[in-house]
Amino acid sequence: MSGRMAGRRAIITGGAGGIGLACARRLLAEGAEAVLLDRRADALTAAAGIGAAPVACDVKDPGAVAAAVTRAAGLLNGPADVLVNAAGVYRIAPLLDLTPEEWDDVQAVNLRGTFLAGRAVAAALIAAGRPGAIVNISSTAGLVADAAEPSAHYNASKAGVLALTRQMAAEWAPHGIRANAVCPGVIDTPMLRLMDDPVAGAAYLRTGVPQGRLGSADEVAAAVAFLASDDASYLTGAAVPVDGGVTAI
C-alpha cells in the first residue's frame, strides 16, 4: 500500500461488516487511524481485531451520531477528516406492497443516517478549520431501476444519497471539504440477494454485467480510498459506479 492515508483520521459508519469493513481495512492499510461506527455490538466485537476502535451507534439517532463523532475525535486525538458513510439496509418489496413504515425505515438508515453523520463530521472540521473528505456509499440502484428485484424505498434512498452528496460538495467546498459517492453494483457481501437463486443469478451475470462476475467489497474499498485521498484532490460532487459495467449498457 502507498501510505497515502498516513496521518488521516477516519470514521466508517456501518464499519463492522460488508463494504464498510472492507473500507476500514483499506484505509488502515494505507496508514489511516479509524473508528468503526455500527449499531450491531456483536459485529463490532468481531471486527475489533483489524485495529480500528469500535463505537456503537445507530445512525438514525441524531444524538447518538453526534455523541459517536465526538467520541471518535477523542479516540483519534482530533476530529475525523475522512468519513465513509457505509451504513445501509437493503429491502425488496413491490411498490404496491410497500408500507409507509418500511419506506421510512430504509430512508432513515440510508439517507437520514448519511445526512446526520456527514453534518456532524463537517461541523467538527469547520470548527477546527481543517479540510476533509466524505465518501458516501450510494448504489447503481440510485441510477437505474430494476423490475426483477423491486426495491423502490432502497432505490429512492440511494438516489437521495447522490443528491445529498452533490449538495455537501457545493456547500462545503469553501471549507476544504470534498464529498463524493460510489455506486456499487452487484457486490459479494452478506447484503447481496442476487444469488439467492444461483441459476437466475448466474444468468444475470452473463447477460447484465459486462465483466460477467460479482464485484468484491475490496474493489469498492479501493475506489473509496482513492476518493478519500489527496489523489482525488480536484474531485468533488462525483458519483463513481463500481459495477463491472452494468450502467454502461
Side-chain angles (χ1 to χ4, degrees):
M1 294 297 176
S2 66
R4 60 185 170 178
M5 301 303 291
R8 306 292 294 277
R9 306 179 181 107
I11 291 174
I12 303 96
T13 73
I19 289 172
L21 183 57
C23 289
R25 286 195 177 106
R26 179 69 183 233
L27 294 175
L28 287 165
E30 295 208 26
E33 296 180 86
V35 171
L36 310 180
L37 268 56
D38 207 291
R39 65 181 176 181
R40 301 165 300 160
D42 56 340
L44 280 172
T45 300
I50 69 169
V55 174
C57 177
D58 184 345
V59 296
K60 296 181 293 185
D61 183 337
V65 171
V69 169
T70 298
R71 172 106 185 272
L75 293 167
L76 296 168
N77 297 311
D81 55 11
V82 172
L83 169 65
V84 180
N85 272 311
V89 294
Y90 180 55
R91 305 281 187 266
I92 299 172
L95 269 169
L96 292 180
D97 297 334
L98 189 58
T99 69
E101 292 76 19
E102 290 170 328
W103 174 276
D104 290 346
D105 182 60
V106 171
Q107 303 304 318
V109 177
N110 295 357
L111 185 53
R112 175 185 170 97
T114 298
F115 155 67
L116 290 173
R119 182 183 65 169
V121 168
L125 285 173
I126 291 168
R130 293 173 56 88
I134 296 171
V135 186
N136 297 323
I137 306 299
S138 181
S139 170
T140 54
L143 300 169
V144 295
D146 186 349
E149 200 168 276
S151 52
H153 41 351
Y154 179 79
N155 294 23
S157 71
K158 292 302 187 178
V161 166
L162 295 179
L164 177 61
T165 300
R166 290 189 289 268
Q167 193 63 31
M168 287 176 171
E171 291 194 25
W172 296 338
H175 302 285
I177 299 171
R178 297 182 299 105
N180 292 288
V182 295
C183 299
V186 285
I187 306 299
D188 190 9
T189 71
M191 190 181 290
L192 181 71
R193 298 289 300 278
L194 174 70
M195 303 306 292
D196 287 354
D197 181 337
V199 174
Y204 173 77
L205 292 177
R206 286 195 305 272
T207 61
V209 182
Q211 287 194 316
R213 64 173 177 85
L214 297 175
S216 72
D218 289 340
E219 289 173 308
V220 178
V224 169
F226 164 70
L227 292 171
S229 77
D230 288 341
D231 288 344
S233 58
Y234 199 54
L235 190 59
T236 195
V240 180
V242 184
D243 65 356
V246 167
T247 53
I249 59 175

